[in-house]
Amino acid sequence: MNKTIAAISTPLGSGGIGVIRISGDKAVSIADTIFKSVSGKKLNTLKGYTAAFGKIYDNGEPLDEVVATVFLAPHSYTGEDVVELSCHGGVYITNQVLRTVLNNGASLAEAGEFTKRAFLNGKIDLTESEAVMDIISAKGRAAARSALNIKDGRLRKEIDEVKALLVDNAAHLSAWADYPEEDIPEVSESHLLESVSLAAEKLEKLLKGYDVGKVIKEGVDTLIIGKPNVGKSTLMNFLSGCEKSIVTDIPGTTRDIIQETVVLGSVVLLLSDTAGLRDTDNPIEKIGVDLAKKRLQSCGLVLAVFDASRPLDENDYQMLDLLGDVPSVAVINKSDLESVIDTDYIKNKVSEIVYVSAVKGEGLEALTEAVEKLTGTADFDENSAVLSTERQRECAVNALNALKDTKAALETGMTLDAVTVSLEEAIQSLLELTGERASEVVVHGVFSKFCVGK
């Protein structure tokens, strides 16, 4: 890790600024080679968290006006000396500034290498590292706030509390077993069982919140279904805030699945408008209907749309039967018209029913409440500790299973040596969760998902 790395840390495209980040022992000296401030001061004379205005030169020719900001180790994002060059935004100029940096001694950073160095230098743990990408990829307010809290150490603190319950007991067990000649108090099995039980409860609580956290982070694959002309496409446009779907009075207008990402309350819906479900002889329309039925088997949420002004027919009955156990909201559309629909029959099939007028933009609040209730996000606490990745969940599951083995060993009267083995397995899983003893393979797996420049 002796090399000094550099990369563009802003999206490539036209914009106000483009930022090239340099990190490593030679970051300041490399920047000084190509940068000249208008004041004449060299960057190596500046204090940390100080900026200077000047120009970047490539082979003696001015390339662009930039602001160079210096962050000195250990008080930087990576824990190393860092210089950030803010140039004019644009694909060409940012690439030229980066090329000049690379030509003067820096190496191109790998995906996630800046954050990886922050982790290796002890600036953040592995859960906080993973939260960085969650912040970048957040699709909604709840996801962003939750990820920021994890980045600030909320999950690490929770795991540290669990570890603290176990480490002291494990140390006592080891000392008592290894130094029998010393006057070490005998291990209290009741106290040990109490600590293990409390630790297990904390992990179970974290694991229970994983699915909800995943919904907040990734969104829900949501299908809008219903027979033709009930207002599916109008609902899609209403929720997305623009005309994504063609709306006509002609049945079968929607043939393919139209997709959009929308935020409904605290939930991100990966929304799909489908072909109207009905029996049809039109081969093209039939393909769309079959595709909608296939997607119904794998989606996470269904918005089943009905026309309040029309009685239920065979197509509606078949659709309700298709829902099965898929979490569903019955959306009774056209609530502004006289209602003739049999809502009692629908209530026997679907737990959540809301009334909307998609064309008038009415009923969004009720729909939001129903969706949040079904997805379990209604009471989601953005400030709570949340397991945000499958890796974290697996570590927590392994730790919990080891604690269950510890409790079983205590309750069945097994030797304290056996108890110690299970207890140490739980601690090892928690250390892997935070990255304190994570293998190189695990660390590589985490940062390989990052974007270059972060």
Side-chain angles (χ1 to χ4, degrees), residues 312 320 332 341-350 353 355:
L312 296 176
L320 286 166
I332 312 299
I341 194 170
D342 184 0
T343 54
D344 289 335
Y345 184 88
I346 298 173
K347 287 177 181 177
N348 291 326
K349 296 285 187 175
V350 183
I353 296 183
Y355 299 85

Side-chain angles (χ1 to χ4, degrees), residues 225-244:
I225 64 171
K227 66 187 179 185
N229 282 95
V230 294
K232 298 185 303 299
S233 296
T234 306
L235 179 64
M236 175 76 161
N237 294 340
F238 170 42
L239 293 177
S240 62
C242 61
E243 293 190 10
K244 295 291 293 187

Side-chain angles (χ1 to χ4, degrees), residues 9 85 93 96 114 122 129 133 144 161 197 200 210 214 216 225 269 295 319 336 355-356 383 395 425 439:
S9 292
L85 302 173
I93 199 65
Q96 287 301 113
F114 292 102
S129 300
M133 277 308 295
E161 289 179 10
S197 298
Y210 174 73
K214 188 175 181 180
I216 293 292
I225 64 171
L269 302 183
R295 283 289 306 278
M319 179 182 70
D336 52 309
Y355 299 85
V356 306
N383 298 313
C395 289
E425 285 180 2
S439 68

Side-chain angles (χ1 to χ4, degrees), residues 4-12 18-23 82-85 94-95 97-99 101-102 106-114 451-454:
T4 295
I5 57 173
I8 299 170
S9 292
T10 46
L12 283 177
V19 176
I20 292 84
R21 178 180 290 160
I22 314 168
S23 181
V82 171
V83 176
E84 291 185 351
L85 302 173
T94 49
N95 272 308
V97 174
L98 174 62
R99 180 176 295 179
V101 172
L102 298 178
S107 299
L108 183 63
E110 298 175 356
E113 191 168 0
F114 292 102
C451 53
V452 175
K454 192 61 180 177

